[in-house]
Amino acid sequence: MSYENILVETRGRVGLITLNRPKALNALNDTLVDEISAALDAFEADDGIGAIVVTGSEKAFAAGADIGAMAKFSYMDAYLTDYITRNWERIKTCRKPIIAAVAGYALGGGCEMAMACDVIIAADTAKFGQPEIKLGILPGAGGTQRLPRAVSKAKAMDMCLTARMMDATEAERAGLVSRIVPADKLLDEALAAAETIAGFSLPVVMMIKESVNRAYESGLSEGLLFERRVFHSAFALDDQKEGMAAFVEKRAPQFKHR
Ligand code: CAA
């Protein structure tokens, strides 16, 4: 399949999606989000893929939704087309883990896209922000919901209400990103992390993703119950037998379901 706004390739057992609208700092539009959704469908159906990396350019992961395209929108244009968000949750529903590798600007929808992924690895050049208020709108692809869960209410309010940007150090301290790496190592580090994940048992990887997401979306008792049920079900897997036998026999595991 050919895409207009993204580049899609495979590196080992990792699917790589690169946002590719360099002239507009990877500004997001419906076509781009639809293409990401199609690429995720293909990676999810591919047994050779165990994890996915989404990245942008050196200057911008993505500078938000395309302002030029939105400028003349009426309420009906936005509402009837479910602008930007009609395929957004496909990132969340993908059962294989997605790492956002972020360098430069991740603003508005760009920050929201990174937050919709499972892990954010940031280059030391990364800058995160929800500056929609400057345009007379508010974050519309999860910013007001995912940011407080990631960084606390106070910081999310600060970011959304003042439009200030957070640099990589502040973002790591606040818990928005999992690690910071030098900009020239960003893709290698993200691909290496994804390859590590892709080397484990895929059903276990999926169980962990589902369980952590449950923590994110439910209360503690419900989350603990969910985890316990999934934990016990892991004992039905061949890969559990193999993983534990390998430990006991002091050898590397050969997982069957990768
Ligand atoms: N939409 C469309 N085009 C964009 C864009 C966007 N979000 N962000 C940058 N561009 C374009 C610029 O118009 C410019 O194009 P031209 O060369 O044709 O003029 C090009 O990308 C380079 O941008 P700048 O010249 O502005 O680059 P800079 O280095 O001076 O500034 C920046 C970089 C601070 C990121 C600045 O471009 C900027 O503030 N961009 C807008 C950020 C923003 O407001 N994002 C939120 C969008 S709304 C949203 O995302 C809603 C939602 O929740 C889904």
Side-chain angles (χ1 to χ4, degrees), residues 115-160:
M115 289 192 291
C117 297
D118 301 305
V119 177
I120 303 179
I121 298 183
D124 45 16
T125 57
K127 287 190 174 64
F128 297 87
Q130 297 290 165
E132 288 89 343
I133 197 166
K134 292 204 287 189
L135 301 168
I137 56 169
L138 62 150
T144 66
Q145 303 304 302
R146 289 197 167 99
L147 198 56
R149 285 169 169 80
V151 303
S152 83
K153 175 184 159 186
K155 215 174 253 293
M157 285 284 191
D158 181 5
M159 307 272 302
C160 294

mmCIF file of all heavy atoms in Angstrom, residues 115-160:
data_model
loop_
_atom_site.group_PDB
_atom_site.id
_atom_site.type_symbol
_atom_site.label_atom_id
_atom_site.label_comp_id
_atom_site.label_asym_id
_atom_site.label_seq_id
_atom_site.Cartn_x
_atom_site.Cartn_y
_atom_site.Cartn_z
ATOM 1 N N MET A 115 0.995 10.852 23.295
ATOM 2 C CA MET A 115 0.369 10.328 24.525
ATOM 3 C C MET A 115 -0.554 9.149 24.255
ATOM 4 O O MET A 115 -0.793 8.340 25.147
ATOM 5 C CB MET A 115 -0.419 11.436 25.242
ATOM 6 C CG MET A 115 0.467 12.481 25.878
ATOM 7 S SD MET A 115 -0.445 13.563 27.005
ATOM 8 C CE MET A 115 -1.471 14.481 25.883
ATOM 9 N N ALA A 116 -1.090 9.049 23.032
ATOM 10 C CA ALA A 116 -1.958 7.907 22.706
ATOM 11 C C ALA A 116 -1.135 6.627 22.548
ATOM 12 O O ALA A 116 -1.670 5.534 22.632
ATOM 13 C CB ALA A 116 -2.742 8.197 21.430
ATOM 14 N N CYS A 117 0.187 6.789 22.303
ATOM 15 C CA CYS A 117 1.066 5.624 22.190
ATOM 16 C C CYS A 117 1.331 5.061 23.598
ATOM 17 O O CYS A 117 0.955 5.655 24.597
ATOM 18 C CB CYS A 117 2.373 6.026 21.507
ATOM 19 S SG CYS A 117 2.140 6.603 19.802
ATOM 20 N N ASP A 118 2.030 3.931 23.662
ATOM 21 C CA ASP A 118 2.211 3.266 24.957
ATOM 22 C C ASP A 118 3.426 3.760 25.722
ATOM 23 O O ASP A 118 3.444 3.746 26.955
ATOM 24 C CB ASP A 118 2.326 1.753 24.734
ATOM 25 C CG ASP A 118 1.085 1.236 24.044
ATOM 26 O OD1 ASP A 118 -0.016 1.476 24.577
ATOM 27 O OD2 ASP A 118 1.199 0.642 22.965
ATOM 28 N N VAL A 119 4.457 4.139 24.999
ATOM 29 C CA VAL A 119 5.710 4.599 25.616
ATOM 30 C C VAL A 119 6.152 5.821 24.813
ATOM 31 O O VAL A 119 6.020 5.827 23.591
ATOM 32 C CB VAL A 119 6.814 3.512 25.484
ATOM 33 C CG1 VAL A 119 8.134 4.006 26.043
ATOM 34 C CG2 VAL A 119 6.402 2.202 26.145
ATOM 35 N N ILE A 120 6.658 6.842 25.511
ATOM 36 C CA ILE A 120 7.270 7.959 24.781
ATOM 37 C C ILE A 120 8.761 7.977 25.107
ATOM 38 O O ILE A 120 9.135 8.094 26.276
ATOM 39 C CB ILE A 120 6.663 9.327 25.164
ATOM 40 C CG1 ILE A 120 5.141 9.333 24.929
ATOM 41 C CG2 ILE A 120 7.339 10.449 24.372
ATOM 42 C CD1 ILE A 120 4.451 10.643 25.316
ATOM 43 N N ILE A 121 9.582 7.845 24.072
ATOM 44 C CA ILE A 121 11.023 8.045 24.237
ATOM 45 C C ILE A 121 11.324 9.391 23.580
ATOM 46 O O ILE A 121 10.942 9.632 22.431
ATOM 47 C CB ILE A 121 11.830 6.907 23.582
ATOM 48 C CG1 ILE A 121 11.485 5.567 24.271
ATOM 49 C CG2 ILE A 121 13.332 7.193 23.673
ATOM 50 C CD1 ILE A 121 12.265 4.368 23.766
ATOM 51 N N ALA A 122 11.966 10.287 24.343
ATOM 52 C CA ALA A 122 12.166 11.651 23.862
ATOM 53 C C ALA A 122 13.637 11.912 23.557
ATOM 54 O O ALA A 122 14.514 11.497 24.322
ATOM 55 C CB ALA A 122 11.687 12.650 24.913
ATOM 56 N N ALA A 123 13.882 12.604 22.458
ATOM 57 C CA ALA A 123 15.214 13.156 22.211
ATOM 58 C C ALA A 123 15.405 14.340 23.152
ATOM 59 O O ALA A 123 14.422 14.934 23.615
ATOM 60 C CB ALA A 123 15.329 13.620 20.764
ATOM 61 N N ASP A 124 16.662 14.700 23.415
ATOM 62 C CA ASP A 124 16.895 15.852 24.302
ATOM 63 C C ASP A 124 16.394 17.159 23.683
ATOM 64 O O ASP A 124 16.335 18.183 24.352
ATOM 65 C CB ASP A 124 18.383 15.939 24.713
ATOM 66 C CG ASP A 124 19.327 15.743 23.540
ATOM 67 O OD1 ASP A 124 18.873 15.848 22.378
ATOM 68 O OD2 ASP A 124 20.528 15.495 23.775
ATOM 69 N N THR A 125 16.005 17.118 22.418
ATOM 70 C CA THR A 125 15.467 18.315 21.738
ATOM 71 C C THR A 125 13.938 18.401 21.822
ATOM 72 O O THR A 125 13.357 19.347 21.288
ATOM 73 C CB THR A 125 15.814 18.253 20.238
ATOM 74 O OG1 THR A 125 15.272 17.013 19.712
ATOM 75 C CG2 THR A 125 17.313 18.273 20.001
ATOM 76 N N ALA A 126 13.311 17.403 22.423
ATOM 77 C CA ALA A 126 11.837 17.356 22.365
ATOM 78 C C ALA A 126 11.198 18.493 23.150
ATOM 79 O O ALA A 126 11.692 18.912 24.204
ATOM 80 C CB ALA A 126 11.346 16.009 22.907
ATOM 81 N N LYS A 127 10.079 18.974 22.606
ATOM 82 C CA LYS A 127 9.288 20.014 23.292
ATOM 83 C C LYS A 127 7.820 19.637 23.175
ATOM 84 O O LYS A 127 7.321 19.422 22.069
ATOM 85 C CB LYS A 127 9.482 21.366 22.609
ATOM 86 C CG LYS A 127 10.824 21.999 22.843
ATOM 87 C CD LYS A 127 10.785 23.431 22.310
ATOM 88 C CE LYS A 127 12.040 24.201 22.638
ATOM 89 N NZ LYS A 127 13.232 23.648 22.002
ATOM 90 N N PHE A 128 7.172 19.570 24.326
ATOM 91 C CA PHE A 128 5.771 19.137 24.353
ATOM 92 C C PHE A 128 4.883 20.326 24.731
ATOM 93 O O PHE A 128 5.266 21.132 25.586
ATOM 94 C CB PHE A 128 5.589 18.029 25.393
ATOM 95 C CG PHE A 128 6.390 16.786 25.077
ATOM 96 C CD1 PHE A 128 7.717 16.674 25.506
ATOM 97 C CD2 PHE A 128 5.839 15.751 24.348
ATOM 98 C CE1 PHE A 128 8.463 15.539 25.200
ATOM 99 C CE2 PHE A 128 6.581 14.613 24.041
ATOM 100 C CZ PHE A 128 7.892 14.509 24.475
ATOM 101 N N GLY A 129 3.708 20.406 24.134
ATOM 102 C CA GLY A 129 2.807 21.493 24.509
ATOM 103 C C GLY A 129 1.416 21.305 23.950
ATOM 104 O O GLY A 129 1.203 20.547 22.999
ATOM 105 N N GLN A 130 0.458 21.970 24.606
ATOM 106 C CA GLN A 130 -0.936 21.985 24.125
ATOM 107 C C GLN A 130 -1.302 23.469 23.928
ATOM 108 O O GLN A 130 -1.991 24.058 24.770
ATOM 109 C CB GLN A 130 -1.861 21.330 25.163
ATOM 110 C CG GLN A 130 -1.580 19.871 25.434
ATOM 111 C CD GLN A 130 -1.920 18.892 24.310
ATOM 112 O OE1 GLN A 130 -1.490 17.768 24.318
ATOM 113 N NE2 GLN A 130 -2.683 19.313 23.314
ATOM 114 N N PRO A 131 -0.855 24.053 22.805
ATOM 115 C CA PRO A 131 -1.046 25.499 22.623
ATOM 116 C C PRO A 131 -2.361 25.882 21.950
ATOM 117 O O PRO A 131 -2.507 27.016 21.489
ATOM 118 C CB PRO A 131 0.134 25.859 21.706
ATOM 119 C CG PRO A 131 0.332 24.645 20.867
ATOM 120 C CD PRO A 131 -0.067 23.460 21.714
ATOM 121 N N GLU A 132 -3.338 24.962 21.922
ATOM 122 C CA GLU A 132 -4.585 25.236 21.180
ATOM 123 C C GLU A 132 -5.277 26.512 21.642
ATOM 124 O O GLU A 132 -5.941 27.183 20.866
ATOM 125 C CB GLU A 132 -5.560 24.047 21.327
ATOM 126 C CG GLU A 132 -5.169 22.803 20.555
ATOM 127 C CD GLU A 132 -4.266 21.862 21.331
ATOM 128 O OE1 GLU A 132 -3.652 22.268 22.339
ATOM 129 O OE2 GLU A 132 -4.177 20.690 20.912
ATOM 130 N N ILE A 133 -5.114 26.835 22.934
ATOM 131 C CA ILE A 133 -5.812 28.015 23.469
ATOM 132 C C ILE A 133 -5.425 29.282 22.693
ATOM 133 O O ILE A 133 -6.243 30.195 22.535
ATOM 134 C CB ILE A 133 -5.534 28.150 24.997
ATOM 135 C CG1 ILE A 133 -6.549 29.079 25.641
ATOM 136 C CG2 ILE A 133 -4.094 28.578 25.281
ATOM 137 C CD1 ILE A 133 -6.569 29.011 27.172
ATOM 138 N N LYS A 134 -4.204 29.291 22.159
ATOM 139 C CA LYS A 134 -3.769 30.475 21.389
ATOM 140 C C LYS A 134 -4.550 30.605 20.076
ATOM 141 O O LYS A 134 -4.573 31.665 19.468
ATOM 142 C CB LYS A 134 -2.270 30.372 21.070
ATOM 143 C CG LYS A 134 -1.391 30.496 22.299
ATOM 144 C CD LYS A 134 0.016 30.964 21.953
ATOM 145 C CE LYS A 134 0.825 29.892 21.293
ATOM 146 N NZ LYS A 134 2.239 30.231 21.133
ATOM 147 N N LEU A 135 -5.150 29.489 19.630
ATOM 148 C CA LEU A 135 -5.905 29.497 18.369
ATOM 149 C C LEU A 135 -7.399 29.667 18.613
ATOM 150 O O LEU A 135 -8.210 29.583 17.691
ATOM 151 C CB LEU A 135 -5.683 28.172 17.623
ATOM 152 C CG LEU A 135 -4.243 27.823 17.252
ATOM 153 C CD1 LEU A 135 -4.158 26.367 16.782
ATOM 154 C CD2 LEU A 135 -3.737 28.763 16.163
ATOM 155 N N GLY A 136 -7.773 29.846 19.863
ATOM 156 C CA GLY A 136 -9.197 29.982 20.180
ATOM 157 C C GLY A 136 -9.921 28.656 20.206
ATOM 158 O O GLY A 136 -11.147 28.612 20.024
ATOM 159 N N ILE A 137 -9.188 27.563 20.388
ATOM 160 C CA ILE A 137 -9.826 26.248 20.567
ATOM 161 C C ILE A 137 -9.188 25.553 21.776
ATOM 162 O O ILE A 137 -8.337 26.137 22.454
ATOM 163 C CB ILE A 137 -9.714 25.349 19.307
ATOM 164 C CG1 ILE A 137 -8.243 25.170 18.891
ATOM 165 C CG2 ILE A 137 -10.559 25.888 18.164
ATOM 166 C CD1 ILE A 137 -8.013 24.109 17.833
ATOM 167 N N LEU A 138 -9.599 24.314 21.996
ATOM 168 C CA LEU A 138 -8.989 23.536 23.082
ATOM 169 C C LEU A 138 -8.450 22.240 22.490
ATOM 170 O O LEU A 138 -8.798 21.884 21.366
ATOM 171 C CB LEU A 138 -10.008 23.256 24.187
ATOM 172 C CG LEU A 138 -11.220 22.423 23.805
ATOM 173 C CD1 LEU A 138 -11.684 21.633 25.031
ATOM 174 C CD2 LEU A 138 -12.344 23.312 23.308
ATOM 175 N N PRO A 139 -7.615 21.540 23.244
ATOM 176 C CA PRO A 139 -7.124 20.251 22.747
ATOM 177 C C PRO A 139 -8.324 19.356 22.431
ATOM 178 O O PRO A 139 -9.284 19.309 23.199
ATOM 179 C CB PRO A 139 -6.322 19.686 23.926
ATOM 180 C CG PRO A 139 -5.918 20.894 24.715
ATOM 181 C CD PRO A 139 -7.058 21.858 24.573
ATOM 182 N N GLY A 140 -8.239 18.646 21.281
ATOM 183 C CA GLY A 140 -9.418 17.883 20.860
ATOM 184 C C GLY A 140 -9.141 16.416 20.605
ATOM 185 O O GLY A 140 -10.033 15.684 20.190
ATOM 186 N N ALA A 141 -7.908 15.981 20.835
ATOM 187 C CA ALA A 141 -7.597 14.570 20.570
ATOM 188 C C ALA A 141 -7.013 13.922 21.826
ATOM 189 O O ALA A 141 -6.089 13.110 21.753
ATOM 190 C CB ALA A 141 -6.649 14.451 19.384
ATOM 191 N N GLY A 142 -7.543 14.337 22.973
ATOM 192 C CA GLY A 142 -7.158 13.663 24.216
ATOM 193 C C GLY A 142 -6.289 14.489 25.155
ATOM 194 O O GLY A 142 -5.999 14.045 26.269
ATOM 195 N N GLY A 143 -5.895 15.694 24.755
ATOM 196 C CA GLY A 143 -4.974 16.488 25.579
ATOM 197 C C GLY A 143 -5.489 16.793 26.973
ATOM 198 O O GLY A 143 -4.753 16.675 27.957
ATOM 199 N N THR A 144 -6.768 17.167 27.068
ATOM 200 C CA THR A 144 -7.283 17.519 28.403
ATOM 201 C C THR A 144 -7.547 16.272 29.251
ATOM 202 O O THR A 144 -7.792 16.384 30.450
ATOM 203 C CB THR A 144 -8.593 18.337 28.327
ATOM 204 O OG1 THR A 144 -9.625 17.513 27.768
ATOM 205 C CG2 THR A 144 -8.435 19.600 27.500
ATOM 206 N N GLN A 145 -7.516 15.092 28.624
ATOM 207 C CA GLN A 145 -7.802 13.852 29.358
ATOM 208 C C GLN A 145 -6.536 13.053 29.661
ATOM 209 O O GLN A 145 -6.359 12.549 30.772
ATOM 210 C CB GLN A 145 -8.783 12.988 28.547
ATOM 211 C CG GLN A 145 -10.082 13.713 28.223
ATOM 212 C CD GLN A 145 -10.785 14.217 29.478
ATOM 213 O OE1 GLN A 145 -11.110 13.440 30.370
ATOM 214 N NE2 GLN A 145 -11.008 15.543 29.560
ATOM 215 N N ARG A 146 -5.668 12.919 28.650
ATOM 216 C CA ARG A 146 -4.466 12.098 28.877
ATOM 217 C C ARG A 146 -3.383 12.869 29.623
ATOM 218 O O ARG A 146 -2.641 12.287 30.409
ATOM 219 C CB ARG A 146 -3.915 11.579 27.540
ATOM 220 C CG ARG A 146 -4.799 10.510 26.921
ATOM 221 C CD ARG A 146 -4.079 9.708 25.843
ATOM 222 N NE ARG A 146 -4.844 8.518 25.491
ATOM 223 C CZ ARG A 146 -5.642 8.418 24.416
ATOM 224 N NH1 ARG A 146 -5.761 9.437 23.592
ATOM 225 N NH2 ARG A 146 -6.301 7.296 24.184
ATOM 226 N N LEU A 147 -3.292 14.180 29.389
ATOM 227 C CA LEU A 147 -2.216 14.940 30.040
ATOM 228 C C LEU A 147 -2.345 14.939 31.570
ATOM 229 O O LEU A 147 -1.363 14.652 32.263
ATOM 230 C CB LEU A 147 -2.141 16.362 29.465
ATOM 231 C CG LEU A 147 -0.844 17.120 29.727
ATOM 232 C CD1 LEU A 147 0.386 16.356 29.220
ATOM 233 C CD2 LEU A 147 -0.883 18.503 29.091
ATOM 234 N N PRO A 148 -3.542 15.213 32.137
ATOM 235 C CA PRO A 148 -3.635 15.159 33.608
ATOM 236 C C PRO A 148 -3.308 13.782 34.169
ATOM 237 O O PRO A 148 -2.712 13.664 35.241
ATOM 238 C CB PRO A 148 -5.086 15.525 33.922
ATOM 239 C CG PRO A 148 -5.755 15.814 32.647
ATOM 240 C CD PRO A 148 -4.777 15.672 31.512
ATOM 241 N N ARG A 149 -3.682 12.720 33.418
ATOM 242 C CA ARG A 149 -3.346 11.371 33.901
ATOM 243 C C ARG A 149 -1.837 11.154 33.854
ATOM 244 O O ARG A 149 -1.275 10.427 34.666
ATOM 245 C CB ARG A 149 -4.047 10.315 33.049
ATOM 246 C CG ARG A 149 -5.541 10.191 33.343
ATOM 247 C CD ARG A 149 -6.204 9.326 32.262
ATOM 248 N NE ARG A 149 -7.567 8.934 32.585
ATOM 249 C CZ ARG A 149 -8.635 9.702 32.447
ATOM 250 N NH1 ARG A 149 -8.504 10.965 32.043
ATOM 251 N NH2 ARG A 149 -9.846 9.246 32.745
ATOM 252 N N ALA A 150 -1.156 11.784 32.895
ATOM 253 C CA ALA A 150 0.294 11.569 32.749
ATOM 254 C C ALA A 150 1.104 12.454 33.688
ATOM 255 O O ALA A 150 2.112 12.019 34.230
ATOM 256 C CB ALA A 150 0.714 11.824 31.300
ATOM 257 N N VAL A 151 0.682 13.703 33.870
ATOM 258 C CA VAL A 151 1.575 14.652 34.561
ATOM 259 C C VAL A 151 0.952 15.372 35.756
ATOM 260 O O VAL A 151 1.571 16.299 36.278
ATOM 261 C CB VAL A 151 2.113 15.734 33.579
ATOM 262 C CG1 VAL A 151 2.823 15.130 32.403
ATOM 263 C CG2 VAL A 151 1.013 16.676 33.107
ATOM 264 N N SER A 152 -0.218 15.040 36.160
ATOM 265 C CA SER A 152 -0.938 15.696 37.259
ATOM 266 C C SER A 152 -1.841 16.807 36.722
ATOM 267 O O SER A 152 -1.582 17.389 35.664
ATOM 268 C CB SER A 152 -0.028 16.295 38.347
ATOM 269 O OG SER A 152 0.427 17.584 37.960
ATOM 270 N N LYS A 153 -2.865 17.085 37.526
ATOM 271 C CA LYS A 153 -3.842 18.108 37.139
ATOM 272 C C LYS A 153 -3.188 19.484 37.036
ATOM 273 O O LYS A 153 -3.425 20.232 36.096
ATOM 274 C CB LYS A 153 -4.976 18.136 38.170
ATOM 275 C CG LYS A 153 -5.987 19.239 37.928
ATOM 276 C CD LYS A 153 -7.025 19.282 39.038
ATOM 277 C CE LYS A 153 -7.681 20.650 39.078
ATOM 278 N NZ LYS A 153 -8.590 20.825 40.203
ATOM 279 N N ALA A 154 -2.340 19.814 38.022
ATOM 280 C CA ALA A 154 -1.774 21.164 38.065
ATOM 281 C C ALA A 154 -0.939 21.443 36.810
ATOM 282 O O ALA A 154 -1.058 22.495 36.173
ATOM 283 C CB ALA A 154 -0.916 21.331 39.322
ATOM 284 N N LYS A 155 -0.097 20.481 36.459
ATOM 285 C CA LYS A 155 0.768 20.713 35.303
ATOM 286 C C LYS A 155 -0.042 20.705 34.003
ATOM 287 O O LYS A 155 0.222 21.477 33.087
ATOM 288 C CB LYS A 155 1.877 19.644 35.269
ATOM 289 C CG LYS A 155 3.184 20.206 34.737
ATOM 290 C CD LYS A 155 4.306 19.206 34.844
ATOM 291 C CE LYS A 155 5.306 19.505 35.915
ATOM 292 N NZ LYS A 155 6.102 20.716 35.661
ATOM 293 N N ALA A 156 -1.050 19.822 33.924
ATOM 294 C CA ALA A 156 -1.885 19.770 32.716
ATOM 295 C C ALA A 156 -2.641 21.098 32.557
ATOM 296 O O ALA A 156 -2.726 21.648 31.457
ATOM 297 C CB ALA A 156 -2.864 18.607 32.796
ATOM 298 N N MET A 157 -3.171 21.622 33.647
ATOM 299 C CA MET A 157 -3.860 22.919 33.594
ATOM 300 C C MET A 157 -2.892 24.001 33.129
ATOM 301 O O MET A 157 -3.212 24.819 32.261
ATOM 302 C CB MET A 157 -4.394 23.301 34.976
ATOM 303 C CG MET A 157 -5.616 22.536 35.411
ATOM 304 S SD MET A 157 -7.093 23.132 34.571
ATOM 305 C CE MET A 157 -8.352 22.301 35.531
ATOM 306 N N ASP A 158 -1.701 23.998 33.705
ATOM 307 C CA ASP A 158 -0.673 24.977 33.347
ATOM 308 C C ASP A 158 -0.397 24.918 31.842
ATOM 309 O O ASP A 158 -0.436 25.932 31.131
ATOM 310 C CB ASP A 158 0.580 24.636 34.184
ATOM 311 C CG ASP A 158 1.747 25.569 33.947
ATOM 312 O OD1 ASP A 158 1.589 26.551 33.202
ATOM 313 O OD2 ASP A 158 2.838 25.301 34.495
ATOM 314 N N MET A 159 -0.166 23.705 31.341
ATOM 315 C CA MET A 159 0.179 23.547 29.916
ATOM 316 C C MET A 159 -0.974 23.963 28.999
ATOM 317 O O MET A 159 -0.767 24.644 28.003
ATOM 318 C CB MET A 159 0.491 22.074 29.616
ATOM 319 C CG MET A 159 1.518 21.448 30.492
ATOM 320 S SD MET A 159 3.136 21.692 29.871
ATOM 321 C CE MET A 159 2.987 20.947 28.281
ATOM 322 N N CYS A 160 -2.192 23.521 29.339
ATOM 323 C CA CYS A 160 -3.334 23.796 28.447
ATOM 324 C C CYS A 160 -3.798 25.252 28.549
ATOM 325 O O CYS A 160 -4.300 25.818 27.587
ATOM 326 C CB CYS A 160 -4.513 22.871 28.767
ATOM 327 S SG CYS A 160 -4.181 21.139 28.418
#
